[in-house]
Amino acid sequence: MKELMDDEQLLIVPADKGNATVVMDKEDYIHKLSTLLQEDTYHEIKTDPTAKIQKQIKGLLYQSSVPMEERRRLLEPAPKPPRLYGLPKVHKEGFPLRPIVSAIDSPTHNLARYLAKQLQPFSGRTPTYVRNSAHFIELIEELRVSDTDMLVSFDVESLFTNIPIDEAVEITKSLVAEGLAEDIPKMVEFCLTNSYFVWNGTFYGQRKGAAIGSPLSPIIANLFMEKLEEKALRTYEKPPKMFLRYVDDTSVVWPHGKSELNNFLRHLNIQNSSIKFTMEIDENGRLPFLDVLVSKKQNGRLGHSVYRKPTHTDQYLNANSHHHPQQKRATFSTLYQRAFSICDGDSIENEKRLIINAFKKNDFSVNTIVNMVAKEEKKHKQLAQKTNAEKTERDIEEKKIFNYAYYLLAGSTWIWEALSKLKSDESPIILRADKGNATVLMTRKDYNEKISQLLDDPAYQQLKSNPTTRIERQVKELIKRSSIPQETQRNLIPSAEKPPRLYGLPKIHKEGVPLRPIVSQIGAPTYLLSNGVW
């Protein structure tokens, strides 16, 4: 490796994906980047615009609503021009380069990061939004598919550099009515229209789209795509069973056959002349999305496991490297916890073996691996216990009551200490009363007995199985056959539903302190429809 690094005709760079290290001919690297720069997206600039852009940002911030102390942090004290470099896509034919613009220390970097933070609350509010892989798993967990349903992914070609800037700015302007500061769209427009970089001693400007590498680009891409897909889904007569998107990657369950799927692809591609989708269909009922391999199961559910590209190398921090031991353990922990968050019961054990074998290849001893596995298994077990659904709901309810009691009794130290002791005791339960703003202390045994007495009433009957999935399916069918407008229907259709939960509030104004039964319908299959009917 040292000999390769000393060879001035070669470049050693990381691959775009897969943790691989690539040795490239320097002339080939320069040629590939030069070819990218010949596209109409970029144009050559005669002089360095850094000082000019820095001065314009000062003027923008001076006239803005940004707090004075924040303005100083947004101005880069010693700005440098963004730098272009390329990462080889070793999983694609010909090993093309992915252009990356490093905007760190550039005039617009801090401002772009600030603007992204201001826009964040307005993004991710659509039912198609995917936050990350774990969120994706949650969204597909309760979905049922048939043998004829197809798994499909749509990918936007070069999304960032093809976003129509004028349309993106108009979207941010529309958010002012929802609470966005009035001067934010102007600053967003400035950052998007002043993308530039230096490469090989020459300065280049970007004619269209958002810069790859700017903190602002992902949020702008999300806002734009939310508008585009909302219109596309609303105006197509046969929408997909599932349509979920993470930036430029979309996961779809398609129930209408191959011919209709091609029509849907054409429909997507006419929504905006700048945005073009490519399509990939599952092979043998399996298709990747992000780092998740989605598969169709015989029971109608979607399986999920960790996906690695064929070019993945299992190259992580080596046990003999000079990195801090905590960094090495953190790498193992990240991979192991990812397995828990992504894998289903059928794939989790195989994923654990893959991780263990990968760390063996990276020279970790058996004893070290065993200790790391034991630590991660213990961590996961504790987390599973903590997030148990019934305990979590009880804890949330008790915490609200406990905090309210403290609010009422603030200033009385002895009462605070007494409540703290009661809260740490598992035998009693702290509840709010049915009426009167009182806080009630009950034994858990008494509470459970009174709930059981309520359920002995003929009004209730025990069910042999959970009807949530069946009711969800029936609700969807009712909505589909109804006269409700299609745009409204989407807001009523349940997704990843949970059964209603029963709890009781003590009636302290009545003899024997009976419980008033309350059924929390939030998240239930009929909840959205009930609200809509109301």
Side-chain angles (χ1 to χ4, degrees):
M1 182 63 77
K2 189 177 185 306
E3 289 181 7
L4 291 173
M5 292 174 67
D6 291 339
D7 190 335
E8 295 183 357
Q9 303 301 315
L10 298 176
L11 282 177
I12 301 175
V13 293
D16 179 45
K17 295 176 182 177
N19 286 343
T21 301
V22 182
V23 180
M24 290 189 68
D25 181 83
K26 192 172 183 178
E27 287 188 5
D28 186 34
Y29 177 85
I30 293 173
H31 173 72
K32 287 181 176 180
L33 267 184
S34 298
T35 302
L36 284 171
L37 293 174
Q38 289 173 6
E39 298 175 0
D40 61 355
T41 303
Y42 309 105
H43 64 99
E44 192 172 324
I45 300 175
K46 293 182 179 179
T47 58
D48 180 1
T50 302
K52 177 184 175 183
I53 291 175
Q54 178 81 340
K55 183 178 180 181
Q56 290 172 319
I57 290 176
K58 285 183 181 179
L60 275 174
L61 289 174
Y62 180 77
Q63 299 173 5
S64 74
S65 60
V66 179
M68 185 64 69
E69 62 275 10
E70 189 75 39
R71 295 179 195 176
R72 286 191 283 268
R73 287 195 291 268
L74 299 184
L75 282 172
E76 178 61 45
K80 301 174 183 177
R83 281 97 47 209
L84 174 72
Y85 64 93
L87 298 179
K89 302 180 183 181
V90 294
H91 58 286
K92 293 194 175 182
E93 186 177 351
F95 309 128
L97 296 181
R98 181 186 297 278
I100 306 291
V101 176
S102 175
I104 296 173
D105 295 334
S106 71
T108 59
H109 183 71
N110 292 338
L111 178 59
R113 189 166 52 186
Y114 172 82
L115 295 174
K117 186 177 180 180
Q118 303 307 306
L119 292 171
Q120 190 61 52
F122 302 94
S123 176
R125 300 182 293 176
T126 64
T128 59
Y129 172 75
V130 173
R131 186 169 57 253
N132 51 37
S133 298
H135 183 219
F136 174 67
I137 299 300
E138 291 178 20
L139 294 173
I140 68 172
E141 199 66 49
E142 299 300 323
L143 187 69
R144 299 293 184 273
V145 295
S146 68
D147 292 339
T148 57
D149 287 345
M150 304 166 65
L151 303 181
V152 183
S153 68
F154 295 106
D155 182 29
V156 182
E157 295 180 350
S158 304
L159 173 59
F160 284 8
T161 55
N162 282 310
I163 296 172
I165 297 301
D166 53 346
E167 294 181 41
V169 172
E170 286 302 313
I171 291 172
T172 62
K173 288 179 180 178
S174 71
L175 298 176
V176 172
E178 300 181 42
L180 185 69
E182 291 185 9
D183 52 357
I184 294 294
K186 184 177 181 181
M187 290 187 280
V188 168
E189 183 176 16
F190 179 85
C191 286
L192 293 177
T193 54
N194 284 278
S195 297
Y196 76 105
F197 55 85
V198 62
W199 181 72
N200 212 18
T202 303
F203 291 92
Y204 294 85
Q206 189 168 322
R207 287 194 179 97
K208 61 177 185 176
I212 300 174
S214 169
L216 184 58
S217 298
I219 190 72
I220 289 296
N222 258 330
L223 290 169
F224 175 78
M225 289 301 297
E226 285 171 1
K227 289 288 185 182
L228 184 144
E229 68 197 10
E230 186 277 330
K231 177 187 172 186
L233 294 172
R234 174 169 45 84
T235 55
Y236 199 73
E237 292 183 356
K238 296 181 178 181
K241 180 179 289 187
M242 180 191 82
F243 190 100
L244 299 173
R245 178 186 53 79
Y246 180 84
V247 191
D248 59 348
D249 290 331
T250 305
S251 179
V252 172
V253 174
W254 186 258
H256 308 300
K258 180 68 181 293
S259 178
E260 192 64 43
L261 178 61
N262 290 326
N263 292 335
F264 184 63
L265 175 62
R266 285 191 286 271
H267 176 72
L268 290 175
N269 280 330
I270 63 172
Q271 299 306 307
N272 190 291
S273 59
S274 300
I275 302 298
K276 296 302 173 189
F277 290 83
T278 59
M279 181 175 69
E280 183 180 358
I281 302 173
D282 68 85
E283 293 184 10
N284 302 317
R286 293 152 59 93
L287 192 68
F289 177 70
L290 304 180
D291 57 350
V292 181
L293 181 61
V294 183
S295 58
K296 291 167 62 177
K297 291 187 170 184
Q298 291 183 347
N299 62 4
R301 290 179 176 271
L302 290 177
H304 37 88
S305 57
V306 174
Y307 173 72
R308 296 173 176 82
K309 290 185 180 293
T311 53
H312 184 80
T313 62
D314 278 340
Q315 180 180 314
Y316 301 109
L317 293 181
N318 192 277
N320 300 314
S321 74
H322 293 289
H323 290 82
H324 193 280
Q326 185 57 39
Q327 289 179 284
K328 299 171 188 177
R329 289 193 293 268
T331 302
F332 185 89
S333 178
T334 299
L335 294 171
Y336 213 83
Q337 293 306 318
R338 180 181 71 163
F340 283 124
S341 66
I342 290 180
C343 294
D344 57 23
D346 295 334
S347 62
I348 182 67
E349 294 303 320
N350 182 59
E351 178 62 21
K352 290 176 182 178
R353 284 191 290 269
L354 286 173
I355 295 170
I356 289 169
N357 288 333
F359 273 72
K360 285 181 181 177
K361 293 178 185 177
N362 284 275
D363 298 329
F364 284 81
S365 69
V366 172
N367 284 341
T368 301
I369 293 174
V370 167
N371 288 333
M372 290 192 295
V373 168
K375 184 177 180 180
E376 296 308 316
E377 290 287 347
K378 181 180 179 181
K379 183 194 300 183
H380 177 70
K381 184 177 180 180
Q382 291 172 340
L383 183 63
Q385 291 172 342
K386 184 178 179 181
T387 56
N388 177 276
E390 182 179 347
K391 185 176 185 301
T392 301
E393 186 173 355
R394 186 186 73 225
D395 286 348
I396 291 172
E397 186 63 28
E398 290 182 5
K399 185 177 180 181
K400 287 180 181 176
I401 296 162
F402 185 66
N403 288 342
Y404 181 65
Y406 175 62
Y407 167 76
L408 293 175
L409 304 168
S412 301
T413 305
W414 70 271
I415 295 177
W416 171 251
E417 291 175 351
L419 284 172
S420 296
K421 290 179 181 178
L422 288 172
K423 188 69 173 68
S424 62
D425 191 340
E426 288 291 331
S427 56
I429 180 170
I430 303 174
L431 299 164
R432 74 171 183 268
D434 178 44
K435 295 178 181 177
N437 287 339
T439 301
V440 182
L441 180 67
M442 295 181 68
T443 65
R444 198 170 298 279
K445 180 181 178 182
D446 186 29
Y447 177 82
N448 290 338
E449 285 178 355
K450 289 183 176 181
I451 286 286
S452 297
Q453 290 171 8
L454 287 171
L455 295 176
D456 288 337
D457 190 295
Y460 307 107
Q461 62 175 348
Q462 188 170 345
L463 302 177
K464 293 181 179 180
S465 60
N466 183 358
T468 304
T469 301
R470 173 176 58 80
I471 294 174
E472 179 182 350
R473 186 169 60 248
Q474 291 172 326
V475 168
K476 288 180 178 179
E477 191 63 30
L478 275 172
I479 293 172
K480 185 177 180 182
R481 294 179 179 179
S482 72
S483 59
I484 298 172
Q486 194 173 38
E487 183 176 2
T488 305
Q489 285 186 18
R490 293 195 186 92
N491 296 325
L492 303 180
I493 292 176
S495 174
E497 302 306 315
K498 301 175 182 178
R501 280 88 60 204
L502 172 71
Y503 62 95
L505 298 180
K507 300 180 182 181
I508 59 174
H509 57 289
K510 292 196 175 183
E511 187 177 351
V513 196
L515 297 180
R516 180 185 297 279
I518 306 291
V519 178
S520 173
Q521 294 282 348
I522 296 174
T526 57
Y527 180 70
L528 295 176
L529 180 59
S530 299
N531 275 349
V533 172
W534 179 80

